[in-house]
Structures are given as C-alpha cells and as structure tokens.
C-alpha cells in the first residue's frame, strides 16, 4: 500500500509526488531551519576545544584540572578548620592554619556555635613628643563606645563597627593567652593589627604624630536576666581589667 500524505487527501486520495522545493519554498521557515542545521553540521556544533592547537589544548585541560584540585583542597582545609577537633585536624593543624590564615579565616563552628559569654570594652591612649622634647600622655579613648554608638538604632550597621575591634581582641587572646609576648608570626600579626586599629581611630579624632599606644581591656560577663525580665547588674568584682604594654608606633606609618 502506497502511503498517503496531506496532499493525497486534497486530490481524492490519489498519490501525488511532491518535490522538496515545493514542500519548502525559498524563504519559508523550513528552508531557514534546514540551512541553519546544515551550517552547524547537525544538532551539535563542532567542539571548539578540539580546534585549538595541541599545546594550547593541553594547557587548557591542565589548568582546569589544577583549578578543580585547588578548589577541593580549599574546601577540605576549611572543613577541618571549622569542624570539631579530631585526629586529622590535629595532625595537619600546621598546614591548615598556614592555608586558612589570614585570608580565609572562618569565625563560626560547623556543629555548635558558641555564643559570647563576655563583653570586652577596649580603650586606648597615646603618647606624643611635644616641641620641647617632653612626652605627653593622652587620656583614655573608648574605642568600643564609638562602635556601640554607630551600631545602636542603626537598621543597617556596618560590619566593621560590629566585628573588627572585637575580632582583633579575640585573635590577640587566642595567639597570646595571658602573656603579652609574641612567640610566633601569627601572634605578631594580631598585635600589629590591634595596634593599627587603635592608632587609626585615635588619630582620626586627634590628628598628629603618635609615638606609642597602650590598650586597656575591661571584660564583663554578659548580664543575666531575672524572673521579671530585667537585666541583673554586673558586680564590679567580676570585671577583669587588663592593661597591655606600651607599643611603639613606627614613624613611617601603620
């Protein structure tokens, strides 16, 4: 049986031969579709990478493999950094810290975030050399109060005002402990970072050359609430006061 098409019905069921040019006249969508398909060489175009020279093709593939390996290594080190202490993270602690600090530090915990249990209040004072050669020590400048004033009642507080000073002090504590001696490059970095923050903020309010700076940190526990929902006052006896040594400020800046 000879198959029939739409043209057969119009001619009383008699088979009619149709040329390709008649089925798809010039300018019709079918002609454009066939032309585009023929230029592309089928449903898929040629592989552009295969048309590159062999050395460039090999270099491209090598760079892609290297990026994938570096990305996987980066994710693995970050996982060890934020995961609870374990045998792997303790064994490769030096390599992990060298990779993470100071650019990729993560201040969060993967399984159990630790809320703040104390509130540090950081103040600083400077020493300057006057025209007659004597040294003049300024009063204490409350750095934390400036940040609190910028954050309070601000619907979009700055990340800098919320975290920079607090994180600098936390990093100093983690690298120094109860001692103010820097025994590692990381400890020196945190000391200089904390010093520079204090000098930058003081000189923004009190312009002029600074020879040295000293920090004082008052650490208060977070106030608890009583049964009525009111905060209990914090006793002065539980406030820890720590005076850091004088740090010299380089003459060329900070």
């Amino acid at each position: 049986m000879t198959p029939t098409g739409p043209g057969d019905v119009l001619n009383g069921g008699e088979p009619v031969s149709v040329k390709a040019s008649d089925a798809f006249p010039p300018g019709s969508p079918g002609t454009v579709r066939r032309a585009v398909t023929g230029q592309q060489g089928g449903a898929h175009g040629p592989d552009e990478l295969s048309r590159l020279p062999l050395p460039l093709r090999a270099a491209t593939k090598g760079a892609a493999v290297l990026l994938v390996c570096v990305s996987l290594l980066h994710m693995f080190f970050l996982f060890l950094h934020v995961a609870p202490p374990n045998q792997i993270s303790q064994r490769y602690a030096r390599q992990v810290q060298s990779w993470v600090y100071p650019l990729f530090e993560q201040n969060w915990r993967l399984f159990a975030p630790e809320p703040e249990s104390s509130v540090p209040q950081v103040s600083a004072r400077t020493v300057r050399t006057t025209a007659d050669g004597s040294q003049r020590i300024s009063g204490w400048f409350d750095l934390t109060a400036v940040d609190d004033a910028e954050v309070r009642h601000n619907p979009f507080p700055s990340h800098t005002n919320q975290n920079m000073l607090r994180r600098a002090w936390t990093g100093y504590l983690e690298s120094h402990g109860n001692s103010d001696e820097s025994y590692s490059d990381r400890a020196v970095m945190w000391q200089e970072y904390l010093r520079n923050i204090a000098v930058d903020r003081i000189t923004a309010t009190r312009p002029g050359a600074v020879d040295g700076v000293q920090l004082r940190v008052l650490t208060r526990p977070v106030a608890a609430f009583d049964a009525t929902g009111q905060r209990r006052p914090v006793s002065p006896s539980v406030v820890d006061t720590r005076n850091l040594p004088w740090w010299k400020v380089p003459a060329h800046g900070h």
Side-chain angles (χ1 to χ4, degrees):
M1 179 179 179
T2 305
T4 61
D8 300 336
V9 178
L10 297 178
N11 291 276
E14 294 296 329
V16 177
S17 60
V18 181
K19 298 181 180 179
S21 59
D22 298 332
F24 299 99
S28 65
T31 306
V32 176
R33 182 166 58 252
R34 291 175 60 198
V36 172
T37 305
Q39 291 176 1
Q40 292 182 347
H44 302 281
D47 187 4
E48 297 295 336
L49 184 61
S50 63
R51 303 174 67 177
L52 297 176
L54 182 60
L56 184 57
R57 189 166 58 211
T60 303
K61 292 182 178 180
V65 172
L66 179 61
L67 288 176
V68 171
C69 294
V70 172
S71 300
L72 293 176
L73 181 65
H74 177 71
M75 295 176 61
F76 179 68
F77 278 174
L78 287 184
F79 175 81
L80 292 180
H81 176 64
V82 301
N86 54 77
Q87 293 183 355
I88 299 179
S89 62
Q90 293 175 357
R91 180 177 180 180
Y92 298 100
R94 182 177 180 181
Q95 291 83 350
V96 172
Q97 291 184 3
S98 300
W99 180 270
V100 172
Y101 294 104
L103 299 178
F104 307 115
E105 180 185 2
Q106 304 293 314
N107 184 27
W108 58 283
R109 296 294 180 265
L110 186 61
F111 297 102
E114 299 177 2
E116 297 288 343
S117 59
S118 60
V119 180
Q121 181 180 2
V122 184
S123 303
R125 62 180 179 176
T126 59
V127 58
R128 306 171 185 262
T129 302
T130 61
D132 59 1
S134 60
Q135 291 186 333
R136 181 179 179 181
I137 299 177
S138 68
W140 289 104
F141 184 84
D142 195 337
L143 304 175
T144 303
V146 175
D147 285 345
D148 291 343
E150 293 292 335
V151 172
R152 189 175 294 111
H153 307 305
N154 187 347
F156 303 103
S158 168
H159 178 80
T160 300
N161 295 123
Q162 294 181 83
N163 298 316
M164 176 181 283
L165 183 61
R166 178 180 59 85
R167 284 293 300 130
W169 173 243
T170 302
Y172 183 86
L173 282 180
E174 292 175 352
S175 59
H176 288 78
N178 295 325
S179 173
D180 292 315
E181 296 291 334
S182 302
Y183 295 105
S184 65
D185 294 339
R186 182 167 177 263
V188 173
M189 180 194 70
W190 280 113
Q191 175 184 325
E192 294 178 349
Y193 183 54
L194 185 61
R195 179 202 65 191
N196 293 344
I197 292 175
V199 175
D200 283 342
R201 299 192 178 185
I202 291 177
T203 54
T205 305
R206 308 169 183 171
V210 174
D211 298 324
V213 63
Q214 183 185 27
L215 273 69
R216 180 185 65 187
V217 183
L218 305 179
T219 304
R220 296 181 174 86
V222 175
F225 291 89
D226 56 20
T228 62
Q230 300 294 327
R231 285 184 178 272
R232 298 175 181 175
V234 177
S235 173
S237 60
V238 299
V239 177
D240 178 68
T241 302
R242 180 170 175 176
N243 291 312
L244 276 62
W246 283 96
W247 293 331
K248 185 177 180 181
V249 177
H252 60 274
H254 48 275

